[in-house]
Amino acid sequence: MINRAGELKVADFGISAVLTDSMSRHSMEGKVSGTLSYMSPQQAEGKRPSHLDDIHALGATLYELLSGKPPFFRGNPASIQAQILGVVPPGIAERRADLEVLGRLPVPREWEEAVAACLAKDPAKRPQSAGELLDWVSGRRVVRASPVAASAPPPMPVPMPVLPQPPPNPIPAPLPSPTRDGGGEARERGRMLG
């Protein structure tokens, strides 16, 4: 929202949702706090929060912006929490078709992949920063080494073919031109070269 002074303000519209979605959008009571539909599995289990929970929430927000609904929205809070913990949400294109969301253009593949990565159950498989997410959606994704790949033995080196060396040049290099000192400096350089 932009206030009268022209300042941008971030607001949580979770509480202003339609009545039929109100149960799935309320914060859970007890140890877990936040808007349920945007929680990471770790947050839903009450684990210590990290920046990767924010990456997950951003993915859920992007998912809703691109499809019309958050990744998990059907059912009561316990059902939604179970979905967050154990169900992979459908791709954005599939969700759009399911909800009959029409758009002029399909969602780009990079965006589908980036949002799916943000929603990964395993935090290590999510983009590790907003900058990495930006790289994904702009098609500049750099594949990180996974912990499993990092512990694997290094690949065997591939021998490079030995290329034949060109024959030595039979034409000798020209001698330097004489200088103002009468050629003494040039003769000295010539002795060092020859």
Side-chain angles (χ1 to χ4, degrees):
M1 297 178 66
I2 299 177
N3 65 14
R4 291 182 185 175
E7 300 169 319
L8 179 65
K9 300 290 180 175
V10 177
D12 180 0
F13 292 102
I15 58 172
S16 65
V18 293
L19 187 58
T20 57
D21 283 348
S22 64
M23 286 303 290
S24 65
R25 292 186 178 258
H26 279 188
S27 296
M28 295 179 59
E29 295 179 13
K31 295 181 184 178
V32 181
S33 177
T35 305
L36 182 58
S37 297
Y38 305 93
M39 283 186 187
S40 70
Q42 296 71 35
Q43 216 176 351
E45 290 178 325
K47 292 182 178 174
R48 185 180 181 154
S50 84
H51 72 283
L52 296 173
D53 298 319
D54 295 333
I55 297 290
H56 186 279
L58 178 57
T61 301
L62 291 171
Y63 187 98
E64 181 172 10
L65 288 170
L66 295 169
S67 74
K69 292 283 184 183
F72 305 109
F73 66 95
R74 292 185 174 123
N76 62 33
S79 170
I80 291 172
Q81 184 176 14
Q83 292 172 58
I84 289 169
L85 295 173
V87 176
V88 175
I92 295 169
E94 183 181 341
R95 175 60 57 83
R96 287 173 66 148
D98 180 48
L99 297 173
E100 299 178 358
V101 173
L102 303 175
R104 290 183 297 164
L105 299 172
V107 175
R109 178 186 50 80
E110 294 87 1
W111 281 76
E112 281 263 8
E113 291 174 357
V115 171
C118 288
L119 298 174
K121 305 298 181 196
D122 179 357
K125 293 183 179 176
R126 294 180 199 144
Q128 300 296 295
S129 67
E132 188 177 330
L133 178 58
L134 176 62
D135 289 342
W136 277 56
V137 297
S138 55
R140 298 183 309 241
R141 177 179 173 215
V142 176
V143 179
R144 287 182 274 118
S146 70
V148 173
S151 64
M156 295 298 291
V158 177
M160 296 298 291
V162 177
L163 299 175
Q165 296 295 321
N169 189 351
I171 301 172
L175 293 174
S177 61
T179 60
R180 280 186 265 158
D181 71 349
E185 186 180 306
R187 278 192 299 275
E188 185 64 30
R189 266 192 252 141
R191 272 188 238 135
M192 290 192 311
L193 294 174

